[in-house]
Amino acid sequence: MHSFPLNLHGIAPNSFVRTSNDAVKTIERAIDVRKRLKSLSIRIVKYPVMLVVFPVGYLVVYIMILAYNRRLNKACSEKINLNNYRQLREELLALNELSSKLKSARVVSAPKKKTPWYLMPLMRQILKMGKTITAYHASIKKQVDAFDEPISPMPNGWKLVTGTEMFEARVKGYEYLI
Amino acid sequence: MFDHAYSYKFVGKEKGEDGSYVAHLFRFKTRQNRTIIFRAEVFDNPHPIVVVKFFDKAHRLSEKRFSLLTNTGGFGSIVATCINIMFKDLVGSNPYLSFAFMGAPKPKELAQKRLHNTQRFRLYALLMKRKFTPLHYQHAIMETYSCYLILNRDYCEDKPAAVEEMLEALKKTYPNEAKW
């Protein structure tokens, strides 16, 4: 006699899921910091005391983003362990959100004036971060799209159920058994 | 609803009439004390594919055994048990198996001679989409005859003719039951 619960094969989260969640948080923080730095630089003219605070703060933020970029680069270049389709789709959703955030940030930050010279190194790091995330997004999307392609031509009358349709049919609490 | 599964028992094997498959028989008892027979007809030649069927033991002699209803409720647990058998016993013994089934018409649909997109087919299809991951299986449907195919990616990916040959074998064995 055999019996086992249906959710037995739910697989623990993989490392690649963490990547996008981290990235979402960090990119939000970076955009926020950049905006704050900009407003600070405007105020600097008014309050000369801030001249001392600004370079130190700027340096701290710059180093933080630099370190994050290194971590992100390493995380994105690691081989993705594909054993859970649901998590792969969730990763793609998170990355879609992240990409739209990056795009909107670019729209907001598109100034009529030129970016001040002292913000250029920081901007360069943020753009680098954006590029890494975009490349990672493209690789995940490619993998997801591969599951929507037929493995062999289907005979007449047969319709393929794509991975996307299957993902949309899922309900919370149901896990794939394999 | 589909989370609770009954414990089941392997009953034995039976050779198909034309020798093209070996039927693996399982049995389990529902809370309403109905005995359900689960039949997995395993084809090995030319490709490994299983046709899964189940029916109430009380209806075993009826020609309409796959269509008749038990009307006792607990359908979710019955289907969950069948999925358990598919995973634990069938995939467990051969990880390259593909699956095929048909959503049999209910008696009312049968009276209307309706085979298109039956209620059972719709329900089974939804469950299979949720349980068989697209990483390892590709799903295909034929709504006209309420047929469902779960293809094993590992096996079929490098064999472009496999699907057609599988369907050919099914057509040959079941010329009247379903239009594969």
Side-chain angles (χ1 to χ4, degrees):
Chain A
M1 302 282 256
H2 308 286
S3 174
F4 71 109
L6 282 177
N7 286 335
L8 194 75
H9 295 273
I11 297 158
N14 297 319
S15 59
F16 70 86
V17 176
R18 261 199 336 269
T19 314
S20 72
N21 291 345
D22 276 358
V24 171
K25 279 180 203 157
T26 316
I27 198 85
E28 275 174 352
R29 222 181 303 146
I31 291 165
D32 190 40
V33 165
R34 185 165 53 82
K35 280 178 188 164
R36 261 189 278 165
L37 274 174
K38 212 169 183 181
S39 70
L40 203 69
S41 64
I42 296 162
R43 267 185 271 164
I44 235 165
V45 190
K46 290 181 187 170
Y47 311 106
V49 185
M50 286 178 106
L51 274 172
V52 184
V53 183
F54 183 70
V56 177
Y58 183 88
L59 209 65
V60 170
V61 172
Y62 183 79
I63 290 168
M64 263 171 57
I65 294 180
L66 197 74
Y68 176 74
N69 254 348
R70 279 199 183 164
R71 266 203 309 145
L72 189 72
N73 250 331
K74 204 180 161 195
C76 292
S77 59
E78 269 170 19
K79 204 185 164 197
I80 296 159
N81 186 17
L82 274 182
N83 56 6
N84 193 319
Y85 186 76
R86 185 179 56 77
Q87 286 175 351
L88 183 73
R89 294 298 303 219
E90 279 167 6
E91 178 79 351
L92 185 68
L93 285 180
L95 284 164
N96 285 344
E97 195 188 321
L98 189 61
S99 297
S100 66
K101 247 177 211 162
L102 280 171
K103 271 181 201 160
S104 70
R106 207 172 296 160
V107 170
V108 169
S109 72
K112 283 180 185 163
K113 286 178 198 167
K114 246 180 126 183
T115 313
W117 61 268
Y118 47 84
L119 280 181
M120 283 305 273
L122 196 68
M123 281 291 282
R124 216 169 288 143
Q125 284 304 319
I126 292 174
L127 280 176
K128 207 171 158 191
M129 189 191 286
K131 267 184 194 166
T132 316
I133 289 165
T134 313
Y136 180 61
H137 185 196
S139 78
I140 293 275
K141 191 155 187 335
K142 201 176 158 194
Q143 273 164 353
V144 167
D145 287 347
F147 291 105
D148 287 353
E149 296 291 319
I151 43 175
S152 58
M154 293 306 293
N156 267 352
W158 286 94
K159 189 185 146 222
L160 206 73
V161 183
T162 63
T164 310
E165 280 172 352
M166 288 172 71
F167 184 67
E168 281 159 6
R170 94 214 143 101
V171 168
K172 207 178 170 189
Y174 281 83
E175 290 290 342
Y176 294 122
L177 284 176
I178 290 185
Chain B
M1 189 186 177
F2 296 96
D3 279 345
H4 172 262
Y6 299 112
S7 48
Y8 58 90
K9 211 174 181 179
F10 176 69
V11 183
K13 287 182 186 177
E14 204 179 274
K15 238 187 172 181
E17 280 169 25
D18 57 350
S20 57
Y21 66 84
V22 178
H24 295 225
L25 298 165
F26 297 86
R27 189 183 70 195
F28 57 91
K29 226 171 196 163
T30 68
R31 204 176 287 145
Q32 294 78 20
N33 219 21
R34 310 287 301 211
T35 304
I36 306 291
I37 306 284
F38 178 87
R39 202 178 151 92
E41 295 174 354
V42 183
F43 290 73
D44 273 328
N45 202 13
H47 304 287
I49 184 164
V50 185
V51 176
V52 291
K53 304 170 173 182
F54 70 89
F55 52 88
D56 190 332
K57 193 183 170 189
H59 302 147
R60 69 188 180 280
L61 299 175
S62 168
E63 270 185 18
K64 298 173 188 167
R65 59 186 176 277
F66 301 114
S67 293
L68 293 172
L69 302 163
T70 55
N71 280 330
T72 51
F75 178 73
S77 302
I78 295 175
V79 178
T81 314
C82 295
I83 294 176
N84 260 4
I85 299 172
M86 283 160 84
F87 274 101
K88 186 141 191 190
D89 283 78
L90 302 174
V91 177
S93 61
N94 182 1
Y96 295 113
L97 281 179
S98 296
F99 294 93
F101 63 85
M102 183 198 169
K106 285 187 164 185
K108 205 177 162 186
E109 290 167 331
L110 201 64
Q112 294 168 350
K113 290 187 177 169
R114 187 194 152 161
L115 280 177
H116 167 78
N117 205 12
T118 60
Q119 197 182 347
R120 278 195 181 107
F121 169 75
R122 292 198 300 271
L123 181 71
Y124 297 155
L126 205 62
L127 270 170
M128 295 305 143
K129 282 177 199 169
R130 289 177 191 168
K131 291 293 176 193
F132 284 79
T133 171
L135 288 183
H136 302 299
Y137 295 96
Q138 180 148 78
H139 300 229
I141 54 171
M142 195 207 255
E143 278 186 1
T144 337
Y145 294 105
S146 301
C147 297
Y148 202 102
L149 207 57
I150 304 170
L151 300 165
N152 194 307
R153 276 184 190 276
D154 295 335
Y155 184 83
C156 298
E157 220 144 31
D158 51 348
K159 297 178 186 71
V163 182
E164 223 154 303
E165 282 166 15
M166 277 177 191
L167 292 174
E168 205 54 53
L170 296 183
K171 254 183 219 166
K172 220 167 146 190
T173 313
Y174 313 106
N176 305 319
E177 277 183 49
K179 303 272 185 289
W180 301 100

